[in-house]
Each structure stands twice: as C-alpha cells, then as structure tokens.
Amino acid sequence: MASVTKLRILIVDDHPLVREGLKRLINEQPDMLVAGEAGDGHEALRFAKQGMPDVALVDIWMPGLDGARVTQMITDACPQVKVIALTRHDDGGFVRKLLEAGATGYVLKQSALSELTRAVRAVAAGQQFVDASILGAVTPSQSNPAEPPAAPEAALSSQEQTVLRLVAAAYTLQEIATSLSIDLAEVLATRAAAMTKAGLATRTDVVRYAQACGWL
Amino acid sequence: MALRARSAELKNLRQANADLEDARRAALNLMEDAVESRRQVEELNRQLRVTAASDRFRAALADALRSLGDPVQIQAVACRVLAKHLAADRVSYADIHADGEAAVLPREFDAAALMAELRAGRTIVLPETGSEPSPVQQDSFIAVPLVKDGRLVAALCVSHCASPASAPQAIELVRETAERTWAAVERARAEEALRQSEERLRRLNDALEERIRERTSELAGANASLQLEVRERRAAENEIKALFTRLVSAQEDERRRIARDVHDQLGQQMTAVRINLEELQLRTDIDTPCAESVERTMRLAEELDHSIDFLAWELRPAALDHLGLPAALARLVGGWSERFQVRADYDTVGIDGVRLRSDVEANLYRLAQEALHNVYKHARATHVSVLLERRDHRLVLMVEDNGRGFAIDDGSPEAVPSLGLVSMRERAALVGGELTIESTPGFGTTVTVRVPTADADATSHGQCDEATHPHR
C-alpha cells in the first residue's frame, strides 16, 4: 500500500483562527497536506514560488492585495498552481471576477468542509469547481433569456409600437404622452393593449422584447 | 326915333350891366371856391400831420412797451409816451380793482361822480378852465374808461395844457393808448403768471426728481440687501447641500466600515467556529446524543452565519464597492423577490463597460432599496420591474410595480408616505438627479430617477479608487 502522493495545499487567509481550523481539517484528509500558510498576498506569492503547492486556497478579501490580485499574480507566476477562491461572498459577480483572475475553484466559507475538499480534488484534477449553493446565482440573467417574439411587431399598431419603444427606453408615461401629444390615459390604454398583444407583463419584459426586436 | 334909339341903348346898357354883375358874381364864386379849396388842402395837410404824428406815437408806444414785463412799469411808460405826444402835464393810468370802490385817481376830483361816469363807460372830457366853470379843475382833462366784460378795469387820465384836449383824435389816441396799455399789462400779467406757474412746475419737477433720486437710491439699497440676502441664502442652501452630501457620504462610509467589520471579523470568527464544529463532528461517534448536539449547534452556527451575511449586506453590499451598481442591484432585486415572494425582474441597458461615480452608485442603490421597500409596504403588487438604462445622456433608474397605485397628491393617508418621498428626492438631488413618481390608481406606480450622464459617469480615477481599493 504505497503512500499516495498528497496534494500540497497553501492556505492564504488573514485570519489565524480560520487558517488553523482549515489546516487541521485539511490535514485530516488522507490525500491532502497543508504545505504552507500565508496571512497576506505577498507572503502567498513568495510561498507559491518556493513551496510548489498544488492548490492555493485564497481568501478574496484581505488587506493590501485583494484576493483577485493575489490570484492573478499566483497564476501568472506559477501556472501549475490551481487557485480556489475561498470566501464568504456568494455574489455571482465575485465569482466571475475571480474566475477571470485565474481561479479555477470558488467555494463559500459558509459551506460544509466537504464542499472544499471536493473542490480541491476537482481543481487538482484540472476541473473547474464552483460552490453548489451559488451555481444558480452565477447565471440568473441567462436563466430567463428574452424569448424572441414569434411575429415581432406584426400585430402592433404603429402607435402601440412607438409607445412600447419609449417604455423600453425608460421614458415615463408623462414623457411619452408629451412627446406623442396624447393624454396620459391614452398612453396607459395603448401600453396595456400593446403589452397584452405581445404577451408582456412588466417593463423589463418590454425591454427584453425591444432588445429582441432590435429597437434598443 | 331918338327915343327908340335911346331906349335900345338903355336896354343894351342894362344888358351889359347885368352881364358884368354875373361876371362879378362868378368871380366872387371862384374866389370863394379857391379859398374853400385852400382851406380844404390845409385841413387835409393838418390831418395828414396829425395822422403822421399819431402813427409815430403808435410806433413809439409799441417800441416802448414791447420789452417791458412789469405791469407798473408798462403803465408808467405808456403814460410818459402819451404825455410827451400830447404835450400833457400829467397822464395817469389807474387800475380799478374788482372791489371797484377804491379807484386811485390822480388828483382831487369829485371822485364819486367821476367813477360813476367811468363805470358807465363814458369818456370824461373837461375843457380848460375858463370856457366852463369848474370848482377844482384847472386844466383840460380827459379820462378814458376801460371796460372789459362789462366791468370797469382801468382808466387813463390826461391832464392837458397844450393842444385842444377835446380833439377827437386826441381822445381816440388816449383810448387807444389805454387799450394798448391794458393789453400790454394783461400780457405782462399773463406772462408773469405763466412764468410763475412754470417756476412752480420747475420746482415741483425738481422736488419730484429729488424724490425719485431718493426713492431710486432707497430701491438700490433694498435691492442690494435683497441680493445679499439671496446670496447668503444660496450660500446657506449650498452649505446645507454640502453638509447633507457629507452626511450621506459619512453614513455610507460608516456603514461600509461596519459591514466590513461584521463580515470580516464576525464572519471569519463564525467560519472558525464552524470549522471547529466540523472538526468536532468528525471526532464524534455517529448516533450518539453528543453527535446530535453537535449537529444542532452546526445548524445554529449556519443560521448565525447567514444572519451575519444578511446584516452586512443590508448595511452596505460589498458588491457596490467591488462589482458596481448593476451587480449590486441584481442581488438586491433577487434578494427582495425571494424574501417577499413577489416576482421581480431586473435588467440593464447600455450600462456595460461604463464606470459610474461611486456616490451616484450608492445613492441610486439606496433609492432602489427605498422604492422596493415602498412597493412591499404599500403597493400589493405581483410584479416589479427594476430597470437601469443609460441612454440619451442620462442614466435612468426605474422601479415599476403593477400594484394598486395611488392618486398623486390626494393627501390621503393611503398615499405613499410623503416623508419618504421627500428624502428620496433629496437623495436624488444630491447626485444631480431628479426623481419623479407616476401613479394611477389600479395601474401601479413608477419611481424614476434620472441623472445626467455628465454627473453620473466616473470621469477620473480618483472617483473609482474607492471601488477598486476598498482597503486603501
């Protein structure tokens, strides 16, 4: 039973308590070894160059160099080191930012340790890993894509079309009434008729419809 | 025969005598005619002389009076010129005043009788003493009344010594002089009155101009103080706005700091606790009461962790600093929708790749937060749209719901709380924006914030530093 070559882990976090806890837990894993710890970005970079870690766990919010910069510097200097962003931020924007900076994994500190160990094994195997609890948050805009209208504009009168264009362009009802020289009630009625015809419920629906029609 | 001859001769003689007599009479007639003609010529010559003298007098009188303006002087000069012309001892012009009774007469006449005559408009002519007895009169005397509008206004009296005073030309001349003198006096008085009224007018005008100058200066003073007041007020308003800006910015800074502390310190400690709990779980035998206890504690720690996240986010979303407004709004709308179970969509147009000023981002974020809060509290909506569009030189944030709406300015307590709207307007104004609210009962409410892109776009790196280097 030859001893398996353990994955060498670098922990980058400015909180000693977190580092210690993580270290103990990771060292419990049969296939992992905490090879080094760093309290800030510069230390992390130094160790990455010398310590030859397989995976670096990087807290993205640290004093001095922030996680994205550290990630970028590590992956630039040592392309063989896989970086996992370890953070409390579950916002999709942060995920994109870190992945762009070169991280291949993104794990929330709020998740169970098992999520982290799975991530370490996945990135070490060359895969990308994003915490299961934020997968949905990363792609909310793609989850509800504007459906191309079946027969764009065809059913709408030219006035209805004009009103929808202006609604999509974020004009207020009063502005629309003024620019078309009609009264507010007529704008309301026209908008309601147009939205019903086009099957739209909200202004954001109208915006997406307008984008699909190429109006915006 | 001789007799017949004599009688014939006699007849001839008589005839001759008669002829002679006729001739003599004719001659006498001729002489008389000649004398008469000569007398007529002399009379004509005299009249011509008188007329010429009268003309000279008129010219002299006109010359003398022309330049005079003082009624008393006019009267004196007219009297002197007339006296010279008539070779009179004394000529007097007497004004008869309206009260009439106290006529000033030149000498001691029977004043009452004289006045009565004059009042009647009759010229008084007294021949030289001697031809007719008179108790006082020494010389010839002419008094010409001047009656205007039925009233005796003046009399011109001439005491005479040289030429026959009663001569009609002289009387006519006196009358004419009286008329001219009166006319000149009237003209002088009218001119004086005119001059005086002009003077009064001028003084009035001067006084008026003086008052205008005073009033103008008062007005200028008032205007200056008003302008000063306006400037002070504007300065005070600017100061208030600057203070409000500082307050809001200080509030955001403070929230950012506390959020960071909560998230960083508290959150990290919580992470450490949870790691320790996981460690504890690994070392605890499954299916023991102790394992259950650890499990419960782990769930509690997890809830606590979420609360910490939520609190930090509520205080100030880290995304606002690190990812920008569009990402922060996406998270806000998603979180709001999940929390209140109302469908909420969010979209952006024209915002990709645009850096916004951090204070604009913070204020628009807070406005969206407030608007969503109002939707939850008042609108009873089933759909909410949040839109961030950048086009036509303006950045527009819209929060639109399909709720029950309200009548704008109806003053009812059902209306959207005005205090909230006032502070929202102020917040919008802080970043140069404008907030409008459209609502129709039954047709939902739209809150629109428009900020000119000139105010909204980040123009220098300084304004982005906060976002890119939150830890400084």
Side-chain angles (χ1 to χ4, degrees):
Chain A
M1 193 68 188
S3 71
V4 182
T5 308
K6 291 188 175 182
L7 293 169
R8 294 167 57 80
I9 313 290
L10 166 65
I11 300 173
V12 186
D13 198 305
D14 59 317
H15 284 77
L17 275 178
V18 174
R19 285 205 303 272
E20 280 169 31
L22 283 174
K23 185 178 172 184
R24 281 198 304 276
L25 282 173
I26 289 167
N27 283 335
E28 294 274 338
Q29 304 296 316
D31 55 345
M32 295 178 198
L33 173 72
V34 174
E37 296 171 51
D40 63 50
H42 296 291
E43 250 182 88
L45 191 61
R46 250 196 324 275
F47 188 89
K49 286 176 180 169
Q50 297 163 5
M52 301 298 271
D54 297 304
V55 178
L57 306 177
V58 177
D59 181 15
I60 70 170
W61 201 346
M62 291 181 296
L65 293 173
D66 73 14
R69 296 272 286 281
V70 174
T71 299
Q72 192 150 28
M73 288 162 80
I74 290 175
T75 49
D76 282 355
C78 321
Q80 80 285 356
V81 179
K82 311 292 182 192
V83 175
I84 294 174
L86 186 59
T87 177
R88 297 180 55 82
H89 291 291
D90 57 353
D91 195 287
F94 283 109
V95 180
R96 275 193 290 276
K97 193 172 172 182
L98 267 294
L99 294 185
E100 274 166 26
T104 46
Y106 194 99
V107 177
L108 290 176
K109 286 181 177 173
Q110 295 94 316
S111 299
L113 180 76
S114 56
E115 194 74 3
L116 179 62
T117 52
R118 283 204 292 132
V120 170
R121 289 177 191 117
V123 300
Q127 296 162 5
Q128 195 180 61
F129 186 97
V130 174
D131 196 296
S133 65
I134 49 171
L135 260 177
V138 184
T139 53
S141 54
Q142 287 91 344
S143 68
N144 188 13
E147 291 165 23
E153 309 164 43
L156 301 174
S157 73
S158 78
Q159 170 137 317
E160 285 167 347
Q161 219 182 96
T162 308
V163 168
L164 279 197
R165 277 168 188 264
L166 293 172
V167 167
Y171 284 92
T172 66
L173 298 179
Q174 185 56 59
E175 285 174 322
I176 295 169
T178 306
S179 71
L180 299 184
S181 302
I182 57 180
D183 63 23
L184 217 51
E186 197 176 345
V187 177
L188 275 171
T190 309
R191 182 185 66 166
M195 284 172 72
T196 305
K197 275 187 197 173
L200 309 170
T202 67
R203 195 182 277 258
T204 34
D205 289 347
V206 176
V207 169
R208 286 161 193 166
Y209 179 83
Q211 280 170 328
C213 291
W215 292 347
L216 293 177
Chain B
M1 211 33 221
L3 191 63
R4 277 179 62 193
R6 280 196 52 108
S7 97
E9 194 177 340
L10 195 62
K11 193 179 164 189
N12 286 340
L13 279 170
R14 278 186 195 133
Q15 186 60 47
N17 198 24
D19 289 348
L20 273 172
E21 189 62 26
D22 285 349
R24 193 181 63 85
R25 263 200 300 276
L28 273 172
N29 283 345
L30 277 172
M31 250 174 77
E32 278 174 15
D33 285 354
V35 167
E36 176 60 18
S37 293
R38 187 183 173 84
R39 202 191 56 74
Q40 282 178 1
V41 166
E42 278 174 1
E43 175 62 18
L44 280 171
N45 274 339
R46 197 188 59 78
Q47 282 180 9
L48 272 174
R49 275 198 306 279
V50 168
T51 307
S54 299
D55 286 347
R56 276 199 304 280
F57 166 72
R58 287 190 186 96
L61 185 64
D63 280 350
L65 298 185
R66 187 171 299 126
S67 62
L68 299 179
D70 176 31
V72 175
Q73 206 184 0
I74 288 168
Q75 290 168 7
V77 168
C79 288
R80 203 162 62 237
V81 174
L82 185 63
K84 188 180 170 194
H85 179 66
L86 293 179
D89 278 352
R90 185 185 179 88
V91 176
S92 304
Y93 182 96
D95 269 328
I96 313 271
H97 297 285
D99 52 20
E101 297 308 320
V104 179
L105 289 172
R107 284 177 28 193
E108 309 77 18
F109 299 105
D110 177 359
L114 199 67
M115 283 302 291
E117 289 297 307
L118 289 174
R119 278 215 180 81
R122 280 190 288 275
T123 299
I124 293 163
V125 179
L126 301 176
E128 279 177 88
T129 309
S131 56
E132 202 170 298
S134 167
V136 282
Q137 188 70 22
Q138 302 293 306
D139 302 322
S140 68
F141 177 77
I142 302 171
V144 175
L146 261 175
V147 177
K148 298 290 171 190
D149 296 330
R151 195 174 65 76
L152 179 67
V153 293
L156 186 60
C157 307
V158 178
S159 304
H160 199 264
C161 64
S163 62
S166 59
Q169 292 98 330
I171 292 169
E172 187 51 42
L173 217 55
V174 172
R175 187 171 289 133
E176 196 182 318
T177 304
E179 286 285 354
R180 287 198 185 193
T181 305
W182 185 82
V185 166
E186 285 301 296
R187 188 209 60 197
R189 283 181 179 148
E191 280 173 357
E192 175 63 15
L194 186 67
R195 202 185 57 72
Q196 282 180 3
S197 63
E198 276 174 354
E199 175 66 16
R200 274 203 307 278
L201 198 67
R202 196 183 58 73
R203 272 198 226 107
L204 219 65
N205 202 31
D206 287 353
L208 201 66
E209 276 180 5
E210 180 58 26
R211 283 200 55 195
I212 287 170
R213 269 195 300 278
E214 283 170 11
R215 190 84 187 109
T216 306
S217 129
E218 277 170 28
L219 274 176
N223 196 30
S225 67
L226 204 66
Q227 276 177 352
L228 185 67
E229 205 174 302
V230 166
R231 273 200 301 278
E232 281 170 356
R233 199 185 165 86
R234 200 168 290 147
E237 276 167 5
N238 285 340
E239 205 174 319
I240 288 170
K241 192 182 170 188
L243 278 173
F244 189 39
T245 306
R246 288 223 304 277
L247 179 71
V248 166
S249 138
Q251 191 186 36
E252 288 294 333
D253 286 348
E254 187 68 2
R255 280 164 166 262
R256 185 189 288 123
R257 192 184 63 74
I258 297 172
R260 188 175 296 156
D261 281 354
V262 166
H263 204 264
D264 245 23
Q265 299 296 329
L266 221 53
Q268 295 287 57
Q269 283 163 10
M270 203 60 224
T271 302
V273 167
R274 290 182 64 187
I275 290 169
N276 282 326
L277 281 170
E278 288 216 29
E279 208 180 343
L280 187 61
Q281 194 180 35
L282 284 176
R283 299 184 202 290
T284 308
D285 291 334
I286 304 169
D287 293 333
T288 61
C290 193
E292 272 173 43
S293 179
V294 169
E295 180 69 30
R296 272 202 308 279
T297 312
M298 284 183 79
R299 276 202 300 275
L300 271 174
E302 197 179 332
E303 278 171 34
L304 200 54
D305 218 359
H306 283 304
S307 295
I308 287 169
D309 279 352
F310 183 73
L311 179 64
W313 182 270
E314 280 283 288
L315 277 166
R316 166 117 184 159
L320 209 46
D321 291 323
H322 295 268
L323 303 171
L325 179 64
L329 280 178
R331 171 67 187 267
L332 173 70
V333 174
W336 183 90
S337 176
E338 198 178 315
R339 190 168 163 202
F340 298 113
Q341 291 299 301
V342 177
R343 181 187 153 186
D345 297 326
Y346 168 67
D347 218 331
T348 63
V349 178
I351 209 82
D352 294 340
V354 177
R355 308 289 304 259
L356 299 173
R357 275 172 45 162
S358 61
D359 60 333
V360 170
E361 293 199 322
N363 279 299
L364 287 186
Y365 181 85
R366 296 296 176 201
L367 285 166
Q369 213 173 17
E370 184 75 18
L372 284 173
H373 184 63
N374 282 336
V375 171
Y376 161 68
K377 264 171 75 181
H378 303 285
R380 296 179 196 161
T382 58
H383 281 167
V384 180
S385 283
V386 177
L387 199 56
L388 187 65
E389 280 205 38
R390 187 177 173 282
R391 61 166 65 245
D392 303 336
H393 306 295
R394 60 187 201 173
L395 178 68
V396 186
L397 168 71
M398 274 188 154
V399 178
E400 185 168 278
D401 67 62
N402 68 342
R404 58 184 178 153
F406 62 97
I408 305 268
D409 288 333
D410 68 350
S412 75
E414 296 295 299
V416 169
S418 54
L419 259 178
L421 294 188
V422 168
S423 72
M424 285 170 81
R425 271 186 223 291
E426 282 173 352
R427 199 183 265 283
L430 272 190
V431 289
E434 185 195 0
L435 181 128
T436 54
I437 299 201
E438 285 188 334
S439 191
T440 312
F443 286 90
T445 302
T446 308
V447 175
T448 309
V449 186
R450 273 166 296 201
V451 183
T453 50
D455 291 325
D457 291 356
T459 49
S460 72
H461 291 295
Q463 284 159 333
C464 307
D465 281 347
E466 183 56 31
T468 48
H469 305 295
H471 292 281
R472 274 167 290 198

